[in-house]
Amino acid sequence: MAEKDNKVLTEETKEASVVETQVTENISEEPAKKGGIKVQVSKEKRKYQKEEAAPLFGTYRVVTLLAFFFIFIPGMNPVRVCAEIPSNNSVFTSAISYSSLVSELGRAIRMGRVDPSLFYLLYAGAILITLGVLASAVGACVSLGNINLKKIAVWVNIGGGIAQIVGMVFTFVTYTQMQGNDKLTASLPFGFILYAAFSVILLVLSIIQMVILPKGDPSEGYFMDIRFQLLIMFLPFALLTFVFCYLPLWGWRYAFFDYAPGDTLSMDKFKGLEWFRYLFQNAATRKTLLSVLRNTLAMSGLGIITSWIPLAFAIFLSEINNKFFRKLVQTFTTIPNFISWVLVYMVAFAIFSSEGFVNSFGMQMGWITESSNYLMGDSHTWLKMLGWGLWKGTGWSAIIY
């Protein structure tokens, strides 16, 4: 009987503990569920705020791109507030070279007709505008990262916008002071209005981004998608290509004007295609033009046809078993690349001129009776130029293979 009572008591105790455990689990699950709901709501809020800020960042990048492009264009220079500042100066040129800013005012400044402090203030304004645009460009690149990087980008953008506005204020103060000087022709350029609009838009967008952007999570760190990292790595090379390969094309406009050095371009000097028609109207210039085009295309074609030679030469070098001989050949075939074309011509002159080695040796051996100037001859010019080019560049070009 006692054993039966103990079994009943034990079963009741187990049931009570199971009920207590279930109640405890239910109680503990409630805060967890509430916390999970809070976390989910917070994530949804951050996602909504991030999506809401995305168009602002897109607009900011477009405006920054335009501002960055225009700092290299002379016609968009915001600090050219008087006609005496060179018309071919961009704001970037004005910011990196004070001498270019006052290149046409040196005599007036030396004689005291113009206060140089005006141009010091204008120079400072050009520097601030350029630095502000560059800061905005950096911020636009950093904004491609996660929330934490976007937060940094916003502060950089605000700093860039403030720098541009201060630079515009310096420029405007200089303009108002120049109006009282009869030695200067003060005028407010279109670039000033354009950059004033740019600076205000960029600053307003940055402030809105700071307000809308959700709070960053320190645990996430700083991260940027790999495709954006590659894009930012590519941008400096794209910038160099633009500055040195495409920006100079702006000078092509001189081909359509009757331009003389020192003059300004205006529509009354516009000639359209007159100079291009002149090339074909004259028989002599037409013949010269066709000859130049034929030589250019022929040399380019020969270069393409023989482009496989460095690869074949690299294969031949790799097949040489004697390491010393291979290094010796590679060294002697690479050295010509570092010789300037002036020295190459001197070597060619010493060998192939009328009194050079080839003629002297041929006459001494009795092979020829009179000397010939191989360099001055017009026969096989393409092949001669190709030969010198291959001799100079084959060893160097083979290194890559």
Side-chain angles (χ1 to χ4, degrees), residues 98-372:
Y98 176 77
S99 59
S100 67
L101 185 66
V102 296
S103 59
E104 298 181 5
L105 290 160
R107 187 169 180 270
I109 292 176
R110 286 193 302 269
M111 297 183 66
R113 297 174 182 174
V114 176
D115 185 5
S117 62
L118 289 176
F119 292 92
Y120 294 150
L121 188 63
L122 190 64
Y123 181 54
I127 292 175
L128 286 173
I129 293 172
T130 303
L131 290 178
V133 172
L134 294 178
S136 299
V138 172
C141 293
V142 175
S143 67
L144 295 170
N146 62 354
I147 297 295
N148 295 331
L149 283 178
K150 282 183 169 60
K151 283 288 187 181
I152 296 176
V154 167
W155 287 108
V156 174
N157 296 341
I158 291 175
I162 293 174
Q164 291 181 62
I165 290 178
V166 174
M168 299 304 295
V169 171
F170 284 1
T171 303
F172 186 76
V173 170
T174 305
Y175 164 72
T176 56
Q177 293 180 359
M178 284 182 177
Q179 286 181 316
N181 192 325
D182 57 352
K183 302 297 182 181
L184 297 174
T185 308
S187 61
L188 206 60
F190 173 73
F192 179 87
I193 301 172
L194 184 67
Y195 270 91
F198 281 162
S199 58
V200 172
I201 291 172
L202 293 176
L203 184 60
V204 170
L205 287 175
S206 300
I207 295 174
I208 296 175
Q209 290 165 4
M210 182 178 63
V211 174
I212 293 180
L213 205 63
K215 186 178 180 181
D217 187 358
S219 63
E220 292 182 2
Y222 301 95
F223 174 77
M224 183 180 294
D225 194 277
I226 187 65
R227 54 183 177 149
F228 295 133
Q229 295 181 32
L230 295 174
L231 174 63
I232 293 175
M233 291 171 63
F234 164 76
L235 283 179
F237 301 99
L239 176 61
L240 289 174
T241 302
F242 167 74
V243 171
F244 292 105
C245 296
Y246 291 98
L247 189 61
L249 299 182
W250 181 251
W252 284 10
R253 69 190 190 279
Y254 291 99
F256 304 96
F257 290 84
D258 185 12
Y259 174 74
D263 288 349
T264 58
L265 297 182
S266 57
M267 290 309 299
D268 59 329
K269 298 180 181 179
F270 183 74
K271 296 295 182 180
L273 299 176
E274 179 178 341
W275 307 126
F276 296 93
R277 288 194 295 267
Y278 173 77
L279 291 174
F280 295 95
Q281 288 173 353
N282 189 294
T285 56
R286 184 165 60 246
K287 183 179 178 181
T288 303
L289 178 62
L290 294 176
S291 177
V292 170
L293 287 175
R294 185 179 70 250
N295 290 333
T296 302
L297 295 175
M299 292 303 302
S300 300
L302 288 173
I304 294 172
I305 292 172
T306 57
S307 60
W308 56 271
I309 291 180
L311 174 60
F313 183 70
I315 295 174
F316 291 155
L317 282 178
S318 64
E319 293 297 324
I320 298 176
N321 294 326
N322 190 317
K323 186 176 180 181
F324 174 78
F325 181 69
R326 183 171 68 245
K327 293 294 183 182
L328 184 67
V329 172
Q330 188 174 14
T331 301
F332 274 95
T333 54
T334 305
I335 287 176
N337 178 75
F338 301 98
I339 301 175
S340 68
W341 278 107
V342 176
L343 295 179
V344 170
Y345 177 77
M346 292 178 63
V347 173
F349 184 81
I351 297 175
F352 297 106
S353 66
S354 57
E355 297 179 356
F357 171 77
V358 173
N359 283 295
S360 300
F361 183 76
M363 293 181 69
Q364 289 180 3
M365 296 298 294
W367 296 341
I368 57 176
T369 57
E370 59 180 8
S371 61
S372 300

Side-chain angles (χ1 to χ4, degrees), residues 20-32:
E20 184 178 357
T21 302
Q22 291 177 348
V23 171
T24 305
E25 289 177 353
N26 292 335
I27 294 173
S28 62
E29 283 177 0
E30 289 300 324

